Amino acid sequence: MGSVLLSSDWLIRPRPERRFVLKFSVASASAKPNKSRSLVDVLGLNLPSGNMDDPAKFLLRRLVRRIPAQMLKATLEKWGRLNAEQRESLNFSQSKWALTQELEALCEESRLTVKHIAELEMIYITENPNQMMWHAFQLLDPEDGALAVELMQFKELFKCHLRELVRNVSVKIKKHTDEAVWIRMSWGEGFSRLSHLNATYVVHYLQTPYVFVSGLSPKNKPLLLQVLTLSTKHERIKDANLSGRKLTAIRDLLLRQYEHVFPTKYPSPLTERNQSVSNLHTEKEQAEASAKRHQMAGQAFGNGVLPALQSAVYKLETKFKDPTNQTMTEQDEPFRCVVKFSSTNLLESLRHCASSGIASTPVAPLLSSIPLKGRNYFVITDKSPSANS
Amino acid sequence: MEKSRTSVTSTPISSVSTRRIRRRSFRQSTRSHFGVASRLGLTPGQTTHRFNTSRKAPKPQNITEKVSPEHLALLVKTEWHLCYVTPLYRFRHTQLKSYARQLSAFIAAEKQQGLGVEVGGLQDTFKVSMSVLQGLAETNDDPETVLIQVQSRPAFARQDEPLKTVWSGWLSCINGNPEYLHSLPKDFTCLPLFGSRGLEGLSSLVKSWLRSTFDCFFGPLDINQTTLRWLAALWTNCHMESNIQHLKMQWTLPAAPPLHVAYTVNSSDALALWRSVRKSRAADQEACIEIEEVTSFMEGLTSHFYRHFGVDLSAGDLNQVSTALGSAKVKGRMKISSSRYLISTLSLLTECAFLKIPI
């Protein structure tokens, strides 16, 4: 198991005429483990039963638990490792526990290994990316030709560079429908077996300077970042300080795939109203103030639909300043605290706060930095105000 | 709705005005309590209790000498769902065994409706035990705390397997208002604080049995904004003796969609701020803590927040406060993590329960 385990790439093709291609590959893939099994039998190695080893079973069980019952059938169909007959034999109305038993039996019958189960996981994660914590990284200093890197070249480069750095790793690369390249990686510890249970997922949109990573251990982080930098033909990579569960939201925020904010869109100081209804001075004043707040809120966050970012964290290490509290103001030490904003759609909430007056206008630079800089993690100190305002 | 919002917005940023808002909300909470009393047409003469505007700093107590370790282990580190209870009629601490038999028969009867159940007969599904939790009472007036536990055997377990506790609850009164306790007629026992943990269905069964047996009434005990602020200040004050690690407060602001703000302050910085707002600077252990000090502590925290984000936290609701010593949520959930402050926290909650009881 200590050898290089670079499995073949695979592509999901949604178009029906390509199904045949996929089926061919199924046949050839299932033939290989068959051979290896007979070899194992000849050597007299005692494998429990079939070729589903424990990690494969464990992965399958965990996966079936994770996938909601109503999605299970469609996901298995897309997987394509079980033939139609086998899929029809499954009873999806029974409990998941019983279903897992049936699935295990079918997988053993088709001689599927942990690698195949990992494919199933990847299909599910690709379609439901909002279940994990994603961290964004930014690629810097593009080399010549960085913009010309296309899928095949990226794949080649990625595998080539990875092979130079680590041996015990399994990689699957595929292109998702929306032009994103998805990479699933399972890492092995030294010469031990690959751990398919804690896979790292990488999503990269070709020709953009951003990479989204999930499930990466600190140990493997430098390796992966280096490989990514090299294979996208950049010189540096840095933490973009943006993370969240909704991959689409953090992607839209960074790639600016939402309505942009142009200050020129809000040019007008309010035109004078008709003075004849003059006695309602207060109402007018309030309406003006309210319009002003709406305008300011729009300037900071735009008026369109905002990416559904769910949280933002600020680590404050600033001096406590309060004219009514002399003792604290005189202290030199910073006041340490952490503030976390969360909501189902944070930017929407903040815009509402500003336009309704809960937040003062113009919107505090710390808050407007989220859409402006595409970040949701900030460390604020007194020494470098430029870094955060 | 829009108008009321505008009033918040046009509020100047100066801390003086925010203090005015706080005061008002505090006053409202006390007034609403008196509103209940007067609506019932009872003279509040004999019931002078109201929310304290001044209280002693919680003293760490080595309670392990008074309370048995099993009981202590049961009370701390679990989140209790709190209710208030009106005084119990004809409750005797001496008859707990017979109460336990009746309650287990009641639960069995409710669980298998339609079948006859013998009181004291062999209940193989639910076993109730009731006992006195000794050592918690602080004054002679406080009735002893009563512990109720429901044990059950898992559905497919063998007969010889040990029973598992599926529900526990207690009725308590710590540092109860002596005037009120003395004014009660002879047959009443006042245990106004009810904490429960476990299956929701069992909670309502136990409550309905207590209600019909002792002619009492249960209501949800919300830990209101003022109490949460008190807890934040009292816990911070504890940092002088035991590490609170952090002071975490959670607000919800009425935006659409609702905006949640978690504000976590480093414990020693929180203590420094707390010390700076104390009037009696000489860190006197015996000194009382005044509500004004609590208010200016919270104002200090919110103004620091405002300075950075321009967001006025007083526009929203504080709904959770937590430190390493425990956590309290507005929906009446309380966790006490340190036995040293068990008594002081329970006293505060008893006071809240007393405020809720319609007199």
Side-chain angles (χ1 to χ4, degrees):
Chain A
M1 278 311 275
S3 64
V4 186
L5 282 166
L6 281 164
S7 72
S8 59
D9 311 328
W10 49 285
L11 292 143
I12 286 229
R13 297 189 172 87
R15 276 162 297 181
E17 69 267 20
R18 302 283 184 95
R19 279 273 161 81
F20 290 106
V21 182
L22 207 74
K23 273 197 180 154
F24 264 125
S25 70
V26 173
S28 62
S30 55
K32 261 185 236 163
N34 190 10
K35 240 183 241 170
S36 69
R37 188 189 173 226
S38 56
L39 198 72
V40 164
D41 285 348
V42 168
L43 290 171
L45 286 171
N46 251 340
L47 277 179
S49 65
N51 51 3
M52 285 275 280
D53 49 355
D54 283 343
K57 278 182 188 168
F58 196 84
L59 189 64
L60 182 69
R61 270 177 226 157
R62 199 181 63 170
L63 209 49
V64 175
R65 264 208 307 275
R66 253 172 102 177
I67 304 176
Q70 66 271 21
M71 285 171 62
L72 209 52
K73 197 175 177 184
T75 315
L76 287 176
E77 234 162 74
K78 272 177 209 137
W79 185 35
R81 293 286 178 193
L82 298 176
N83 58 40
E85 199 183 315
Q86 284 173 318
R87 283 202 306 272
E88 269 154 33
S89 74
L90 283 167
N91 175 11
F92 287 95
S93 59
Q94 63 187 332
S95 76
K96 276 205 174 170
W97 185 77
L99 192 63
T100 314
Q101 302 290 316
E102 276 185 21
L103 258 176
E104 259 177 42
L106 286 180
C107 290
E108 267 178 24
E109 188 184 294
S110 300
R111 309 202 184 288
L112 299 183
T113 62
V114 70
K115 254 193 280 177
H116 302 115
I117 312 289
E119 289 172 11
L120 181 63
E121 186 195 82
M122 193 168 175
I123 290 171
Y124 175 65
I125 300 279
T126 317
E127 309 228 319
N128 306 276
N130 292 350
Q131 320 235 343
M132 312 191 290
M133 200 64 183
W134 293 93
H135 296 270
F137 291 92
Q138 186 176 8
L139 297 157
L140 300 162
D141 306 336
E143 289 167 11
D144 297 341
L147 278 175
V149 175
E150 43 74 59
L151 181 67
M152 291 317 285
Q153 194 187 0
F154 174 74
K155 265 201 259 185
E156 286 295 314
L157 286 171
F158 189 87
K159 286 190 176 172
C160 175
H161 289 301
L162 191 68
R163 210 173 290 137
E164 279 168 16
L165 287 171
V166 258
R167 296 171 64 83
N168 203 359
V169 67
S170 146
V171 184
K172 277 179 204 299
I173 302 178
K174 73 164 190 170
K175 194 168 180 178
H176 193 46
T177 42
D178 63 348
E179 302 303 303
V181 181
W182 279 73
I183 307 170
R184 183 191 193 274
M185 304 172 80
S186 323
W187 308 82
E189 280 287 326
F191 290 101
S192 71
R193 290 183 131 201
L194 288 167
S195 165
H196 273 283
L197 291 172
N198 305 310
T200 302
Y201 278 88
V202 180
V203 179
H204 174 56
Y205 287 77
L206 290 171
Q207 284 99 40
T208 68
Y210 297 105
V211 184
F212 307 96
V213 181
S214 178
L216 181 61
S217 70
K219 196 185 141 223
N220 296 328
K221 191 174 163 183
L223 292 173
L224 178 64
L225 293 188
Q226 189 181 340
V227 172
L228 280 170
T229 322
L230 292 170
S231 48
T232 52
K233 295 200 174 168
H234 283 76
E235 275 172 16
R236 282 195 304 133
I237 191 166
K238 68 161 193 175
D239 195 334
N241 283 313
L242 179 68
S243 57
R245 288 196 163 265
K246 291 212 167 163
L247 177 66
T248 43
I250 61 171
R251 178 199 67 196
D252 291 351
L253 195 68
L254 280 180
L255 304 182
R256 311 266 170 207
Q257 288 180 349
Y258 65 103
E259 202 196 319
H260 296 216
V261 187
F262 295 111
T264 47
K265 224 182 129 188
Y266 307 90
S268 63
L270 278 181
T271 45
E272 283 292 301
R273 285 253 202 90
N274 191 357
Q275 293 291 320
S276 61
V277 273
S278 57
N279 54 346
L280 301 168
H281 271 302
T282 20
E283 204 167 86
K284 180 171 166 271
E285 216 163 86
Q286 295 215 340
E288 269 176 19
S290 157
K292 184 97 179 136
R293 282 199 305 272
H294 272 93
Q295 188 194 341
M296 298 267 206
Q299 273 175 9
F301 300 106
N303 275 359
V305 180
L306 292 162
L309 194 69
Q310 288 175 315
S311 66
V313 178
Y314 295 86
K315 209 170 155 210
L316 303 179
E317 285 177 4
T318 49
K319 257 181 68 74
F320 193 97
K321 283 185 204 148
D322 188 348
T324 59
N325 193 331
Q326 201 62 37
T327 330
M328 287 300 284
T329 312
E330 279 167 9
Q331 275 192 4
D332 289 329
E333 291 297 304
F335 191 79
R336 288 158 292 177
C337 56
V338 177
V339 172
K340 182 178 180 181
F341 291 91
S342 52
S343 159
T344 47
N345 187 335
L346 180 66
L347 296 174
E348 197 99 44
S349 291
L350 290 174
R351 181 167 65 186
H352 185 266
C353 276
S355 58
S356 66
I358 296 169
S360 66
T361 43
V363 176
L366 287 191
L367 295 179
S368 54
S369 292
I370 304 173
L372 217 58
K373 301 197 166 174
R375 283 173 65 169
N376 70 349
Y377 179 76
F378 300 87
V379 179
I380 314 294
T381 51
D382 280 324
K383 277 163 203 152
S384 56
S386 59
N388 46 54
S389 59
Chain B
M1 195 61 202
E2 191 55 40
K3 280 210 172 147
S4 68
R5 188 76 75 247
T6 345
S7 76
V8 175
T9 65
S10 52
T11 307
I13 306 135
S14 75
S15 59
V16 183
S17 61
T18 39
R19 181 179 297 155
R20 205 195 311 132
I21 293 171
R22 292 281 161 55
R23 284 264 173 74
R24 199 194 301 138
S25 72
F26 167 65
R27 228 182 285 141
Q28 268 167 358
S29 68
T30 37
R31 202 190 297 139
S32 68
H33 144 62
F34 287 120
V36 172
S38 57
R39 196 156 15 104
L40 291 165
L42 293 162
T43 45
Q46 59 171 357
T47 58
T48 48
H49 64 261
R50 62 169 79 183
F51 204 80
N52 282 348
T53 53
S54 157
R55 54 182 81 238
K56 272 190 205 153
K59 277 179 290 180
Q61 291 184 343
N62 200 354
I63 196 173
T64 40
E65 291 160 9
K66 284 160 70 188
V67 184
S68 71
E70 305 96 79
H71 283 160
L72 215 52
L74 195 97
L75 282 174
V76 298
K77 288 178 185 158
T78 42
E79 191 171 77
W80 295 100
H81 186 183
L82 302 174
C83 284
Y84 71 86
V85 197
T86 55
L88 312 175
Y89 181 59
R90 291 206 170 145
F91 174 86
R92 301 275 176 276
H93 278 90
T94 47
Q95 290 181 20
L96 290 180
K97 267 197 181 146
S98 114
Y99 294 155
R101 274 201 302 277
Q102 289 174 35
L103 178 56
S104 72
F106 179 81
I107 293 173
E110 289 289 320
K111 288 275 173 190
Q112 42 186 343
Q113 282 191 355
L115 294 171
V117 172
E118 187 193 347
V119 175
L122 263 177
Q123 312 302 347
D124 46 349
T125 43
F126 291 102
K127 184 172 169 279
V128 178
S129 63
M130 272 173 143
S131 57
V132 172
L133 213 160
Q134 259 162 351
L136 282 181
E138 275 289 278
T139 63
N140 287 336
D141 295 324
D142 288 345
E144 288 285 357
T145 299
V146 176
L147 178 71
I148 308 168
Q149 281 181 298
V150 180
Q151 295 179 310
S152 163
R153 189 165 280 130
F156 300 104
R158 280 172 293 132
Q159 280 298 309
D160 53 340
E161 264 184 51
L163 292 166
K164 268 175 75 180
T165 306
V166 288
W167 187 92
S168 17
W170 40 261
L171 288 154
S172 183
C173 177
I174 314 290
N175 280 321
N177 183 317
E179 273 177 62
Y180 179 78
L181 292 175
H182 282 298
S183 71
L184 278 177
K186 198 170 70 68
D187 274 335
F188 283 96
T189 310
C190 189
L191 287 163
L193 186 61
F194 175 74
S196 65
R197 169 188 71 167
L199 300 169
E200 204 53 43
L202 279 172
S203 292
S204 55
L205 283 180
V206 173
K207 278 195 245 174
S208 83
W209 179 81
L210 287 166
R211 204 160 36 223
S212 54
T213 315
F214 303 111
D215 197 15
C216 58
F217 176 79
F218 284 82
L221 179 64
D222 291 350
I223 305 176
N224 63 21
Q225 302 269 303
T226 321
T227 315
L228 287 176
R229 293 204 169 97
W230 265 108
L231 280 168
L234 293 176
W235 274 330
T236 307
N237 193 68
C238 292
H239 191 62
M240 289 189 251
E241 292 115 16
S242 40
N243 191 0
I244 62 163
Q245 284 169 22
H246 59 259
L247 170 66
K248 184 174 179 184
M249 295 153 286
Q250 290 187 42
W251 273 270
T252 301
L253 297 170
L259 178 64
H260 306 284
V261 177
Y263 187 6
T264 313
V265 185
N266 177 292
S267 54
S268 43
D269 292 347
L271 184 64
L273 176 64
W274 173 242
R275 281 195 163 130
S276 76
V277 300
R278 290 299 306 269
K279 282 177 189 148
S280 45
R281 291 287 161 83
D284 186 1
Q285 293 289 315
E286 295 300 312
C288 277
I289 296 170
E290 305 291 331
I291 181 93
E292 284 79 20
E293 294 168 328
V294 177
T295 311
S296 39
F297 177 60
M298 291 307 281
E299 265 167 22
L301 290 171
T302 47
S303 79
H304 184 69
F305 186 88
Y306 188 91
R307 200 166 69 80
H308 287 87
F309 300 104
V311 176
D312 194 355
L313 286 175
S314 64
D317 289 326
L318 176 64
N319 44 32
Q320 191 178 333
V321 171
S322 58
T323 67
L325 299 181
S327 74
K329 293 179 192 163
V330 76
K331 291 254 178 253
R333 312 267 167 168
M334 180 85 205
K335 186 163 122 178
I336 303 166
S337 307
S338 163
S339 65
R340 301 176 76 197
Y341 297 97
L342 185 68
I343 295 290
S344 18
T345 320
L346 287 179
S347 315
L348 181 69
L349 292 173
T350 305
E351 197 182 304
C352 294
F354 266 116
L355 278 176
K356 280 278 193 172
I357 297 177
I359 319 144

